[in-house]
């Protein structure tokens, strides 16, 4: 039987039972001495009668026996009689304190408070109790007789840091941790502007320094790094596909997600194979506080989530989502379709623009995730997770040639499936072990039949990843914790290209086996906390050792002020490149490929940052300065669409900048504004005419702001973002030049990235209202992206029309005004 999430202050059990009698028309029979002084946190009125009785039993150990449909007998077990109860709360936030250690004297029995801050003891003789918690001052109570159901408020330690570092940002459920970056809990999430629900990766974009210049997850950057340089993890398994609709929607159903961590610097040494930030998702304990069944629908997809607890130690959660786009062409879908497929083979025939042709397309996506958790005894927990993600596009193009109709079939499939096993063993109060094993497979393949020739093309990109991890945690003292472990990764990559004319048949297969030894020490003392560790990588294929130190530290020099530092060295052997712009129908042009430690070096990064945070009276202000250098990048990994498009070369980039947040919270309202500054430049040695120029991903200035209102049923939010245009390269001459030696024409360009796209502005809004009927909840809502219908140019490149021998400018624009509505039912 599961635990119940309850809220409010404890009340006398006798009073609670009287309320239940009135609501459910029953009568309780009990001996007053059995329940005297006992208090409970009242179960929600929406609970069924049985659920309320279970909740009270959990808090009191009393037994409830139904004599008939009206009368219920209440009995006490003398062997398990509750001698005292405590409800622990934080004195500042008035929230329950979980995992407090309560020592009972003279027996020295130890109990811990649960997630509602509740603890009890059945000891027959109690002379005193001591309450200890890492973030709160120790309390010793000697008079325990009147403690039945008493709320004990624990004072925050004067030197405690986490209260400043842990704040909600932008909306409820978004907080910042001192050593694990930003944390998002979708189940506590308020709406963000433009979202119909707590979209997992869209919410990541709200964090300062996390930017997408073209609205998609495919081009998400964290402090200047490309999307493939970000480590995406789901329950400890690496994800190589994170989006639906080729970048516009996240591929993780938010209804199972329990927690998301975003780390921009000071990454744990247990997280490797990335040189940019980390986005880590966990679905652990999701079913503990969630309804057993949820159904939802909007104008893009439908979804369902099912949860079941087989016993106290076993639970199952399943979640599925499927697009409706292949059966219903809504205005919302059409806007998404126009945004994703503009300037691709799907909607553009390039040189044949004057020829009549027709296109018939069929696109849909789905994802399916599941988790089974099992406790074995009191010390061992096993969790099994699996995931499947799919995007499928099929379309026909046809043309009329004299009296003959010619049709060609095309397709693009993007698939991911994988599973992970996590096991934890708590050997004793100081030592525990964690083991993990996962396998994930990602496939991307496309077939294309040219409409105006007999050319056929088939391209495929596969990646398989097997990962193993062992981790040992030892707590020396309450202030010092040591983590040590080992990781093994075996990754295989296949790239296939087949063209019938001119004939090409390429099939490349590579395998990497990487090892890592890891150690990390966390130390907390008075006003100072720090965590430092080392990751020792060994790349078996080349016999290369790379050492990566990581650290993060915070100093609370005033109750409202905190200063933090972070630094890291990281490496990466698997990344994406663009072979040709028209690959994969021009939609997903990038393919995963391995470093070879020669012309494709191992990517390496170094980063330092420092920041300061102030929090007082509902105000929150924070600023952070950073500098990061990445070496080993190649030209093809940067998606050039200028004079460097078909060249391959090596270099690095240096980015430094600042991130500022200002937030004010009052009652049910919260408002915020963030500003990010990035100065990001390439250095490619040997290139002419210039070797140093702005990075393709540089967004020099980025501002986001919003205001939101949240109460128990109503959520409303309005927000916008503005940023300066990213770099682009213009032709120096509108006329093209013909090279007689090469036998082709080329464009004369200005200096690379010497111009900028126009500024971007977008205003978004969302709202929802929840109707509650006993234990059922019906939520209705709507969202609007680009409320002002602003025409934002997000990309620009130039090409040669070989028929007319003229220069063409190709522009890509952001989403037009897009309205979405949703409905969600919870049982």
């Amino acid at each position: 039987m599961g635990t119940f999430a309850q809220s409010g202050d404890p009340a006398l059990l006798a009073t609670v039972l009287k309320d239940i009698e009135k609501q459910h028309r029953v009568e309780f029979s009990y001996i007053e001495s059995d329940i005297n002084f006992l208090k409970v946190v009242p179960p929600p009125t929406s609970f069924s009668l049985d659920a309320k009785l279970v909740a009270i039993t959990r808090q009191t150990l009393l037994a409830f026996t139904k004599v008939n449909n009206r009368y219920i007998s209440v009995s006490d077990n003398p062997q398990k009689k509750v001698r005292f109860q405590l409800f622990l709360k934080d004195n500042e936030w008035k929230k329950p304190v979980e995992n407090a250690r309560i020592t009972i004297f003279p027996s020295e029995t130890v109990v811990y408070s649960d997630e509602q801050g509740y603890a009890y003891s059945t000891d027959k003789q109690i002379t005193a109790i001591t309450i200890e918690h890492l973030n709160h001052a120790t309390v010793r109570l000697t008079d325990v007789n009147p403690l039945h159901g008493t709320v004990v408020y624990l004072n925050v330690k004067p030197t405690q840091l986490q209260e400043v570092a842990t704040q909600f940002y932008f909306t409820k459920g978004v907080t910042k941790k001192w050593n694990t970056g930003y944390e998002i809990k979708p189940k506590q999430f308020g709406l963000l502007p433009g979202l119909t629900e707590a979209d997992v990766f869209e919410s990541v974009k709200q964090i300062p320094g996390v930017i997408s210049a073209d609205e998609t997850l495919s081009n998400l950057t964290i402090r200047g790094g490309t999307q493939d340089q970000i480590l995406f993890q789901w329950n400890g398994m690496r994800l190589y596909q994170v989006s639906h609709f080729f970048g516009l929607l996240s591929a993780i159903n938010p209804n199972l997600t329990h927690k998301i961590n975003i780390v921009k610097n000071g990454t744990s040494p247990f997280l490797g194979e990335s040189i940019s930030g980390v986005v880590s998702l966990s679905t652990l304990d999701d079913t503990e506080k969630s309804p057993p069944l949820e159904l939802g629908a909007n104008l893009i997809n439908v979804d369902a989530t099912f949860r079941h607890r087989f016993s106290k130690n076993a639970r199952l959660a399943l979640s599925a989502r499927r697009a409706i786009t292949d059966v219903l062409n809504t205005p919302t879908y059409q806007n998404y379709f126009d945004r994703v497929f503009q300037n691709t083979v799907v909607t553009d025939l390039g040189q044949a623009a004057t020829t009549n042709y027709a296109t018939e397309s069929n696109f849909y996506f789905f994802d399916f995730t599941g988790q089974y958790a099992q406790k074995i005894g009191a010390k061992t927990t096993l969790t099994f997770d699996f995931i499947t993600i799919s995007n499928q596009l099929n379309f026909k193009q046809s043309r009329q040639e004299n009296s003959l109709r010619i049709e060609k079939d095309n397709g693009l499939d993007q698939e991911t499936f994988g599973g992970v096993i996590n096991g934890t063993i708590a050997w004793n109060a100081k030592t525990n072990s964690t083991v993990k094993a996962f396998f994930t497979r990602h496939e991307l393949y496309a077939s294309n039949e040219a409409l105006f020739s007999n050319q056929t093309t088939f391209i495929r990109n596969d990646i398989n990843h097997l990962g193993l991890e062992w981790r040992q945690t030892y707590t020396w003292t309450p202030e010092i914790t040591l983590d040590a472990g080992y990781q093994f990764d075996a990754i295989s990559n296949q790239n296939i290209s087949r063209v019938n004319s001119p004939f090409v048949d390429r099939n490349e297969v590579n395998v990497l086996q990487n090892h890592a030894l890891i150690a990390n020490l966390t130390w907390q003392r008075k006003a100072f906390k720090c965590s430092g560790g080392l990751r020792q990588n060994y790349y078996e294929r080349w016999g290369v050792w790379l050492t990566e130190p990581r650290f993060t530290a915070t100093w609370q020099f005033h109750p409202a002020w905190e200063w933090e530092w972070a630094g890291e060295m990281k490496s990466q052997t698997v990344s994406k490149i663009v072979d040709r712009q028209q690959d994969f129908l021009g939609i997903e042009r990038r393919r995963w490929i391995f470093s070879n430690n020669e012309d494709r070096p191992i990517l390496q990064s170094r980063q330092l940052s420092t920041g300061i945070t102030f929090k007082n009276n509902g105000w929150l202000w924070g600023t952070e300065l950073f500098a990061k250098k990445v070496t080993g990048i190649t030209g093809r990994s940067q998606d050039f669409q200028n004079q460097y498009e078909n060249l391959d070369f090596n270099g690095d980039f240096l980015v430094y900048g600042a991130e500022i947040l200002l937030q004010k919270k009052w009652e049910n309202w919260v408002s915020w504004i963030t500003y990010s500054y990035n100065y990001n430049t390439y250095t490619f040695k040997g290139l002419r005419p210039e070797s140093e120029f702005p990075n393709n991903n540089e967004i020099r200035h980025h501002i986001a702001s919003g205001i939101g209102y949240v109460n128990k049923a109503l959520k409303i939010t309005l927000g916008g973002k503005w940023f300066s245009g990213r770099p682009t390269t213009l032709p120096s001459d509108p006329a093209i030049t013909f090279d007689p030696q090469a036998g082709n024409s080329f464009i004369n360009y200005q200096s690379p990235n010497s111009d900028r796209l126009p500024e971007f502005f977008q205003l978004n809004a969302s709202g929802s209202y929840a109707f509650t009927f006993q234990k059922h909840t019906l939520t209705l809502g709507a969202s609007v992206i680009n409320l002002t219908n602003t025409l934002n140019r997000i990309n620009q490149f130039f090409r040669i029309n070989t028929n007319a021998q003229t220069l063409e400018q190709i522009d890509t624009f952001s989403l037009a005004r897009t309205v979405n509505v949703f409905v969600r039912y919870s049982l």
Side-chain angles (χ1 to χ4, degrees), residues 151-438:
V151 178
V152 178
Y153 290 96
L154 303 182
N155 292 320
V156 177
K157 291 180 180 179
T159 59
Q160 194 265 345
L161 299 179
Q162 195 169 342
E163 292 303 317
V164 174
T166 305
Q167 300 294 327
F168 78 79
Y169 283 65
F170 322 127
T171 182
K172 186 179 180 181
V174 184
T175 59
K176 186 172 183 287
K177 303 291 186 177
W178 78 273
N179 62 343
T180 55
Y182 291 83
E183 181 180 277
I184 300 175
K185 293 184 177 180
K187 288 300 173 184
Q188 302 176 10
F189 215 72
L191 284 180
L192 285 172
L195 301 183
T196 58
E197 54 190 353
D199 187 282
V200 174
F201 289 124
E202 283 294 323
S203 61
V204 170
K205 295 181 186 178
Q206 308 303 318
I207 305 302
V210 183
I211 298 172
S212 176
D214 66 356
E215 304 177 301
T216 71
L217 296 170
S218 301
N219 287 304
L220 194 73
T221 67
I222 296 181
R223 292 182 172 174
T226 54
Q227 189 254 24
D228 60 303
Q229 296 170 1
I230 302 171
L231 174 62
F232 293 95
Q233 279 196 337
W234 182 76
N235 289 328
M237 176 182 73
R238 178 162 185 175
L239 287 179
Y240 292 88
Q241 176 186 353
V242 297
S243 66
H244 286 312
F245 232 128
F246 306 106
L248 284 185
L249 297 173
S250 65
I252 302 298
N253 192 327
N255 297 302
L256 271 188
T257 302
H258 174 63
K259 183 172 62 177
I260 311 167
N261 282 100
I262 301 100
V263 183
K264 296 182 288 185
N265 192 16
T267 309
S268 165
F270 282 88
L271 299 172
E273 193 53 45
S274 75
I275 57 170
S276 192
V278 175
V279 179
S280 180
L281 297 92
S282 166
T283 58
L284 298 178
D285 299 328
D286 180 64
T287 59
E288 197 72 28
K289 302 178 183 179
S290 303
L293 178 65
E294 288 185 84
L295 302 173
N298 58 41
L299 296 181
I300 293 291
N301 59 260
V302 294
D303 68 84
T305 302
F306 170 78
R307 305 173 179 89
H308 180 69
R309 182 169 288 277
F310 299 97
S311 67
K312 179 180 178 181
N313 296 324
R315 56 182 174 83
L316 173 70
L318 302 173
S319 186
R321 180 172 46 164
R322 189 195 190 280
I324 60 173
T325 54
D326 57 330
V327 295
L328 185 61
N329 189 351
T330 66
T332 305
Y333 164 65
Q334 192 59 51
N335 280 4
Y336 275 58
F337 184 93
D338 293 342
R339 162 63 187 89
V340 171
F341 299 119
Q342 60 183 313
N343 303 326
T344 69
V345 173
V346 181
T347 58
D348 175 45
L349 293 180
Q351 302 169 3
T354 60
T355 303
N356 290 326
Y357 70 95
T359 299
E360 178 185 341
S361 62
N362 182 22
F363 168 76
Y364 82 99
F365 62 81
F366 72 87
D367 57 68
F368 183 60
T369 56
Q371 179 182 85
Y372 177 78
Q374 176 73 57
K375 284 188 176 181
I376 304 173
K379 296 183 176 181
T380 305
T381 301
L382 289 177
T383 307
F384 307 87
D385 300 272
F386 64 88
I387 187 169
T388 299
I389 303 170
S390 178
N391 284 263
Q392 297 186 15
L393 170 68
N394 299 287
F395 66 98
K396 291 183 178 180
Q397 290 178 328
S398 61
R399 65 183 175 90
Q400 198 74 23
E401 186 174 290
N402 299 323
S403 61
L404 182 65
R405 181 179 177 85
I406 299 175
E407 289 188 352
K408 297 296 179 74
D409 293 323
N410 304 272
L412 175 65
D413 288 345
Q414 193 178 28
E415 314 278 351
T416 289
F417 63 91
V420 56
I421 301 175
N422 284 282
T424 301
I425 304 175
W427 301 104
N428 52 52
K430 291 188 174 183
T431 307
N432 67 72
S433 301
T434 302
V435 293
K436 177 181 70 177
F438 74 83

Side-chain angles (χ1 to χ4, degrees), residues 105-124:
F105 298 93
S107 66
E108 296 188 357
T109 302
V110 175
V111 297
Y112 291 86
S113 59
D114 63 13
E115 65 271 18
Q116 281 89 40
Y118 171 78
Y120 66 84
S121 173
T122 59
D123 277 23
K124 294 182 178 180

Side-chain angles (χ1 to χ4, degrees), residues 12-24:
L12 284 171
L13 176 58
T15 302
V16 174
L17 292 180
K18 288 179 181 179
D19 291 339
I20 295 176
E21 286 178 336
K22 293 178 181 179
Q23 183 180 358
H24 295 278

Side-chain angles (χ1 to χ4, degrees), residues 502-515:
F503 180 76
V504 175
D505 190 354
R506 185 178 65 181
N507 187 352
E508 297 179 356
V509 179
N510 289 287
V511 178
L512 289 179
Q513 293 185 348
N514 305 330
H515 307 262

